Amino acid sequence: MSKRVLTTESGAPVADNQNSATAGVGGPILLQDQHLLEKLARFNRERIPERVVHARGSGAYGYFEVTDDVTAYTKADFLSEPGKKTETFLRFSTVADSLGGADAVRDPRGFALKFYTEEGNYDLVGNNTPVFFIKDPIKFPDFIHSQKRDPFTGKQEPDNVWDFWAHAPEATHQVTWLMGDRGIPASYRHMNGYGSHTYQWTNEAGEAFFVKYHFKTNQGIRSLSGEQAAELVGKDANSHQTDLLQSIERGVSPSWTLYVQVMPAAEAADYRFNPFDLTKVWPHSDYPLRRVGRLVLDRNPDNVFAEVEQAAFSPNNFVPGIGPSPDKMLQGRLFAYADAHRYRLGVNHTQLPVNAPKATVADNYGRDGYMATRNGSRHDKNYEPNSYSGPAQTDAALSAPLAIHGWTGTHAAPQHAKDDDFFQAGELYRLMSEDEKGRLIANIAGGLSQVSREDIIEKNIAHFAAADADYGKRVEEAVRALRED
């Protein structure tokens, strides 16, 4: 039987479905990668009108207050001095389930934050985990398809979930997070938020730094066991929404302290593992947390549809002093998020109140399209440059340029001295108490034991064993015991 050839939608053969095309090894992704753009664009259009991911969400308004001086690292105006406050909107969400899904489920949580700054809106799109399952955006549609409802059975299938992870050894770290105690937060208030990706900060002198964001909950971490979550879902499927709404209405304003890890840009190339790999964390011993400020939520939306459902976050919404890094997952999302919103909400979604700038005014040449509310007058030109005092470019870059070199093509991620898909997962496992390990093993075995194919089970067990021998052995024994019952 001849092997089937993967093709694009135009029928052309696909040479590489594992790695996006970049400008040299480790460089930014190229717009010419038609296969990547086609996959992401099609993926964003698979559901109408619900979000494909992060459909089930809650949100609230608040403010961010700077507490510490970080001007040595960034020229961002909203971070310019202690005491400065910026209005914010934060949307929490589950990732895999639909809009009608329950809140208390085992799933990563979205943590999407919009800063309404005086230099325009800055969107920081992250999760409640510091890592993710994959490191290249070309695999994102495949990953989500494996976690979503099966097209035949109409429900999530363990075979699909674990088969994808069996072919993605880099997912072992995030799987260990997800199946551990923090996999089901007790509420949105009782979990951390992370930018997850690596971003670039640039100071007034033009010096570049790479940063990771950590929002530490001031309410303390609280999580649910699988049994507690199942009971809570039976009582109130909207438990997290209920908790967030009622706490703010009572005047109990949840808050988080923002810390960042800061890496001088020059250190990235020779760091012992790829610092732009979304499946890894930077050890705090290498880059300690530096406090930046405090995020407070103090106002509920008046209309959930208008302000939570129609809220649109795009990680390419930067402000001067903040920009992207070569993180391939971030690079893919710079396109995918904005494209999803243009599809779901229309090309003028940025004019909706929840998405429009509040501390400044959008002034550009975008006109017309569905639901346009800002079309200009007879005196306003719709081209640039012009001789009629229209808005003009500043010639001031938002962030420092990224150096690139090498040949274009579909490159695997650059190899650093100690790149490894399993080491950090093993470190996380060894940090756990014996009780935590027991619950982790039980959660993994509960799902993995339902897989119908032995080879898929064996591949996943091999990943856990590569992270830690005891980890793999205990998963294997727990799966065998459940399959023999």
Side-chain angles (χ1 to χ4, degrees), residues 162 171-180 422 424-430 432 436-437 440-442 444-445 460-478:
W162 290 96
T172 308
H173 192 186
Q174 173 73 319
V175 171
T176 304
W177 269 87
L178 179 63
M179 296 299 173
F422 306 108
Q424 290 198 351
E427 284 191 319
L428 179 58
Y429 176 77
R430 290 184 287 274
M432 295 180 181
E436 288 173 323
K437 289 178 180 176
L440 169 68
I441 300 301
I444 292 173
N460 279 284
I461 290 174
H463 293 170
F464 300 125
D468 185 277
D470 178 68
Y471 190 4
K473 179 182 178 182
R474 292 175 66 170
V475 170
E476 182 178 19
E477 292 173 347

Side-chain angles (χ1 to χ4, degrees), residues 19-30 32 136 326 328 403-415:
N19 301 289
S20 303
T22 58
V25 177
I29 285 175
L30 296 171
Q32 71 185 42
D136 194 301
K328 292 180 79 171
I404 59 173
H405 58 85
W407 298 95
T408 63
T410 54
H411 302 288
Q415 289 297 303

Side-chain angles (χ1 to χ4, degrees), residues 43 96 133 139-151 155-165:
F43 177 72
F133 299 93
K139 300 304 298 178
F140 188 70
D142 302 297
F143 165 61
I144 295 298
H145 287 162
S146 75
Q147 309 298 302
K148 283 281 196 178
R149 295 175 184 270
D150 183 87
K155 60 189 182 74
Q156 190 183 60
E157 290 294 340
D159 276 8
N160 300 346
V161 171
W162 290 96
D163 186 32
F164 181 88
W165 288 341

Side-chain angles (χ1 to χ4, degrees), residues 135-422:
K135 61 181 72 175
D136 194 301
I138 206 164
K139 300 304 298 178
F140 188 70
D142 302 297
F143 165 61
I144 295 298
H145 287 162
S146 75
Q147 309 298 302
K148 283 281 196 178
R149 295 175 184 270
D150 183 87
F152 172 65
T153 66
K155 60 189 182 74
Q156 190 183 60
E157 290 294 340
D159 276 8
N160 300 346
V161 171
W162 290 96
D163 186 32
F164 181 88
W165 288 341
H167 290 86
E170 71 270 24
T172 308
H173 192 186
Q174 173 73 319
V175 171
T176 304
W177 269 87
L178 179 63
M179 296 299 173
D181 281 357
R182 295 194 186 187
I184 313 178
S187 80
Y188 289 131
R189 296 183 296 126
H190 294 92
M191 67 181 197
N192 292 340
Y194 300 89
S196 301
H197 295 291
T198 301
Y199 293 90
Q200 185 203 76
W201 276 7
T202 309
N203 64 17
E204 285 286 1
E207 297 172 304
F209 303 87
F210 293 119
V211 300
K212 283 185 175 290
Y213 295 87
H214 301 249
F215 291 85
K216 300 288 189 178
T217 176
N218 294 325
Q219 291 70 238
I221 296 289
R222 284 181 53 199
S223 303
L224 301 172
S225 67
E227 294 75 16
Q228 291 171 323
E231 182 179 352
L232 182 57
V233 167
K235 293 178 179 178
D236 181 7
N238 306 301
S239 57
H240 289 29
Q241 164 70 11
T242 300
D243 176 84
L244 182 65
L245 175 74
Q246 292 182 351
S247 66
I248 295 175
E249 288 297 293
R250 293 196 312 267
V252 179
S253 300
S255 65
W256 289 257
T257 300
L258 171 61
Y259 299 87
V260 293
Q261 291 176 283
V262 180
M263 174 189 291
E267 297 181 11
D270 296 323
Y271 192 52
R272 64 180 182 276
F273 59 82
N274 182 2
F276 310 117
D277 181 347
L278 186 55
T279 67
K280 294 181 174 64
V281 298
W282 298 354
H284 292 182
S285 57
D286 291 348
Y287 298 100
L289 296 179
R290 300 172 183 269
R291 193 177 67 174
V292 180
R294 185 170 67 117
L295 172 67
V296 178
L297 300 182
D298 59 6
R299 179 166 66 89
N300 283 310
D302 292 322
N303 185 298
V304 171
F305 174 77
E307 299 167 86
V308 179
E309 274 308 292
Q310 293 196 126
F313 301 85
S314 300
N316 56 359
N317 285 342
F318 293 114
V319 293
I322 303 178
S325 77
D327 179 336
K328 292 180 79 171
M329 283 296 294
L330 172 61
Q331 291 274 326
R333 284 170 169 158
L334 298 181
F335 162 77
Y337 275 62
D339 184 61
H341 303 319
R342 293 185 188 105
Y343 167 64
R344 287 189 66 246
L345 303 172
V347 70
N348 290 305
H349 67 274
T350 55
Q351 297 176 26
L352 296 170
V354 70
N355 299 320
K358 296 182 183 294
T360 187
V361 176
D363 193 4
N364 54 53
Y365 296 91
R367 287 189 178 184
D368 306 331
Y370 290 113
M371 307 301 286
T373 63
R374 191 182 69 242
N375 287 315
S377 72
R378 69 175 72 180
H379 306 293
D380 296 316
K381 302 303 178 183
N382 64 343
Y383 58 88
E384 196 279 334
N386 61 62
S387 304
Y388 295 86
S389 302
Q393 66 193 41
T394 66
D395 292 323
L398 269 65
S399 58
L402 298 172
I404 59 173
H405 58 85
W407 298 95
T408 63
T410 54
H411 302 288
Q415 289 297 303
H416 290 236
K418 294 188 177 180
D419 272 333
D420 179 276
D421 287 330
F422 306 108

